[in-house]
Amino acid sequence: MALILGIETSCDETAASVTRDGRQVLSNVIYTQIALHEVYGGVVPEIASRRHIDKIIWVIDAAVREAGIAKDELDAVAVTYNPGLVGALLVGVSAAKALAYGLGKPLVPVNHIHGHVAANYIAHPSLEPPFVCLVASGGHSHILNVKDYRDFEILGATTDDAAGEAFDKAARVLGLGYPGGPKLNKLAESGDPAAIRFPRPRNGFDFSFSGLKTAVINYVHNAEQKGGGYSRADVAASFQQAVADVLVENTVAAAKSVGAKAVALAGGVAANTALRSAMDAAARAEGLRFYCPPIELCTDNGAMISCAGYYNYMAGVCADLTLNADPELKIM
Ligand code: KG4
Ligand code: ZN
């Protein structure tokens, strides 16, 4: 039995969780900074780092307390060390190092993207690799062939904006504010996804969202200049449908190309209701099993880091106290 503390501070959530054997969540504490960054229309890195410093000890203590264990019962301390905002990552990494050193326990480095994939293991206790996973977040969008718990192959990726970034920018054009994804998702519920035919650029299993973003901006500006008005809900629904179509078609095609039997969703954008139902339907039509974490495990959290940390720990992947925060986007 292994009790792993997972710490996550790569962006705007200060989070910690204790899991047992990777799959059983004993606690999952998330302090979200959304309200702090809302007034600026996006995450301000320096403000995020400072708030992580204020909250990290409180969040870790709460995670251990809610798990009903003592700190010295932990088997390892896992932490997101890349990719992310470097100053934000550094807070989690420093706290994890101090704790691991103080407790005399292994320090386990975790890649944030591996963490997102691992959210599926928590949600679906019987799920095992191989499967193909679409990881779509604010900073990265990849179609991964998950060959084993720690063996990933990139099948496709965005060539420009990440899917979440596209949602956030489209939401800004529609005056919805930050964080754009959930707000646009809500507005789209009352719109017609077939009202406007936005572009759906794909190249092999890669995809691109900057042209789609420009198309939304142009549509809104044209409509405003003509003074005729337009339906914000229709723009939101049509944009969301275009993103979902591209992601679903590429993920399913990529899954078929490697003979996968199952597809999964992960990352903040996996919280999108249109994407979830479109992927579910497409997977069903192709005879693929479909997995998706609940919404609270799609966006950043400590449980996914604890779970990915468990598989690293079992594979003997540990870091020494020279571990540093690494902002660079890497999968392996
Ligand atoms: O994974 P995440 O919490 O943080 C990163 O690792 O980036 O993803 C955050 C991103 C943001 O761009 C946010 O707008 C988007 O996920 N997002 C959504 C939804 N919920 C969060 N996008 C579309 N629909 C949603 N319901
Ligand atoms: Zn994330």
Side-chain angles (χ1 to χ4, degrees), residues 51 124 213 250 256 329:
R51 187 53 65 95
H124 307 285
K213 176 191 67 190
N250 273 18
K256 283 167 72 179
L329 179 55

Side-chain angles (χ1 to χ4, degrees), residues 243-280:
V243 174
D245 283 352
V246 167
L247 294 176
V248 167
E249 281 168 31
N250 273 18
T251 304
V252 170
K256 283 167 72 179
S257 79
V258 295
K261 301 276 186 294
V263 290
L265 281 180
V269 179
N272 186 267
T273 47
L275 176 63
R276 293 163 83 95
S277 53
M279 192 71 87
D280 188 11

Side-chain angles (χ1 to χ4, degrees), residues 8 10-11 112-113 116 137-140 267-268 298-301 304:
E8 157 62 39
S10 68
C11 191
H112 184 79
I113 298 168
H116 275 304
S137 269
H140 41 81
C298 289
T299 47
D300 292 348
N301 62 87
M304 69 186 201

